Amino acid sequence: MFETLVFLVIGFILTENVLRTIYENFGISFTGNVWVNWFGVSYLLFFLYTIMRGLFINKNNNMLKKRITSIIFWLLFIGSIYAIFIPFVKGVNPF
């Protein structure tokens, strides 16, 4: 639970300070339901943390192995990538 909260806070800070600047530099308006982008950034950070921890640090941790092999884990990863990068394809934030 603590990990989730930490990634949400870090994701919010990165979304507001970094992603907003990147979108605006590409001429993409950062308006609308930006919580979708926030979730995408937060989950991408959580995904990278889990992969690094599960494959390199705690190789024998059964909970991490189950998380990494979960279909929902990978579907949410694909959704987070979509939420972050689709504005570059469409030229607007569709959310």
Side-chain angles (χ1 to χ4, degrees):
M1 188 71 172
F2 180 72
E3 288 176 341
T4 306
L5 184 61
V6 167
F7 285 109
L8 285 172
V9 169
I10 294 171
F12 179 76
I13 293 168
L14 288 175
T15 301
E16 284 296 316
N17 295 317
V18 177
L19 195 61
R20 175 187 296 269
T21 305
I22 293 171
Y23 281 1
E24 289 175 352
N25 286 339
F26 278 90
I28 301 168
S29 174
F30 196 69
T31 58
N33 292 327
V34 294
W35 66 268
V36 177
N37 304 100
W38 171 33
F39 174 78
V41 170
S42 298
Y43 192 79
L44 181 62
L45 292 172
F46 177 73
F47 174 85
L48 293 173
Y49 165 77
T50 301
I51 292 296
M52 286 190 299
R53 188 170 162 212
L55 297 178
F56 301 116
I57 299 170
N58 294 349
K59 295 179 183 179
N60 297 325
N61 190 326
N62 195 29
M63 182 188 72
L64 289 173
K65 284 182 183 178
K66 286 182 180 181
R67 185 185 299 167
I68 290 172
T69 58
S70 168
I71 293 173
I72 298 296
F73 179 75
W74 289 96
L75 288 175
L76 287 172
F77 169 67
I78 292 168
S80 69
I81 293 296
Y82 178 82
I84 295 170
F85 291 107
I86 198 64
F88 295 109
V89 175
K90 290 191 171 190
V92 295
N93 191 358
F95 307 110

